[in-house]
Amino acid sequence: MEFCDECGSMMKAGEGEDHWVCTACGFEKGRNEQEEAAMVTTQGQEASEIIDVSDAEDKGLPTTTVHCPECGNDSAYWYMQQIRSADESETRFFVCTECEHKWREDDH
């Protein structure tokens, strides 16, 4: 993918594909095969480079001491998320480190 030096829009390969043409302003520039070969593309990425961390023990979230209403465990991962209007506080979500029960805590 190439972006226009003049307006910043995305460019496409022109006729004969030896140059780039801007889709917005029509600016043209030549293609450089060496630079393009060095670019990382989604087609060029191997599946082995993707690491699945969905079952990771710590889930990448901080933990806190809080009582799980489902199993009684005293440790949970937590995160905050804005689910209501912007003038209201965020909602705290907890996920039990033992049974993975999920619950939320709202400020009132």
Side-chain angles (χ1 to χ4, degrees):
M1 182 180 305
E2 190 69 33
F3 293 95
C4 180
D5 295 335
E6 298 295 318
C7 71
S9 295
M10 188 170 67
M11 299 180 83
K12 293 186 177 182
E15 289 182 34
E17 299 189 10
D18 61 344
H19 64 282
W20 293 104
V21 179
C22 178
T23 58
C25 71
F27 175 76
E28 295 184 17
K29 72 178 182 179
R31 293 180 66 173
N32 183 328
E33 289 183 27
Q34 291 176 336
E35 284 181 8
E36 291 176 29
M39 291 181 188
V40 176
T41 64
T42 54
Q43 289 101 3
Q45 294 176 349
E46 304 250 344
S48 62
E49 293 178 13
I50 299 171
I51 299 169
D52 181 12
V53 294
S54 59
D55 292 327
E57 187 175 322
D58 67 1
K59 299 190 186 314
L61 298 172
T63 59
T64 188
T65 302
V66 64
H67 183 76
C68 173
E70 193 73 21
C71 72
N73 183 38
D74 289 328
S75 180
Y77 305 110
W78 67 274
Y79 63 95
M80 297 180 81
Q81 188 172 2
Q82 186 73 37
I83 60 171
R84 295 169 288 181
S85 61
D87 63 338
E88 295 187 41
S89 62
E90 294 177 309
T91 300
R92 283 180 296 278
F93 287 91
F94 298 96
V95 180
C96 178
T97 58
E98 197 66 33
C99 71
E100 296 191 4
H101 174 69
K102 185 176 181 179
W103 72 99
R104 66 190 222 180
E105 179 182 276
D106 297 313
D107 285 339
H108 296 285

